[in-house]
Amino acid sequence: ASIAVLDMLRETTDLRDKLESNTQYFRKKMTDAGFDIKPGVHPIVPVMLYDAKLAQEFASKMLDEGIY
């Protein structure tokens, strides 16, 4: 399976490009909404809530919406 992924990545960067576009969109919309987002250009977007209980509730509600 991993060889098939490498072959696919050699053929096109469409999936990687889409991931990058989605990440930029998410970062902008979350920042515009007032969230503190740690800087970076990777697809992992740390959203700082500064409250453990709130973070757990937020994560649970995101999972309910199909966001992980």
Side-chain angles (χ1 to χ4, degrees), residues 1 4 10 13 18 22 24 27 31 35-36 43 51 53-54 59-62:
R10 283 188 197 111
T13 62
K18 180 67 173 170
N22 287 348
Q24 290 173 356
R27 284 182 173 277
T31 301
F35 288 93
D36 182 12
D51 180 301
K53 186 172 191 269
L54 177 61
S60 178
K61 288 180 181 180
M62 287 180 67

Side-chain angles (χ1 to χ4, degrees), residues 1 8-9 12 16 19-23 26 28 34 39 41-44 47 49-50 53-54 56-57 60 62-63 66:
M8 186 173 59
L9 290 173
T12 180
R16 191 202 63 80
L19 177 60
E20 182 178 7
S21 174
N22 287 348
T23 301
F26 181 76
K28 178 173 181 357
V41 294
H42 43 77
I44 297 172
V47 178
L49 300 175
Y50 304 103
K53 186 172 191 269
L54 177 61
Q56 287 177 327
E57 292 169 0
S60 178
M62 287 180 67
L63 282 174

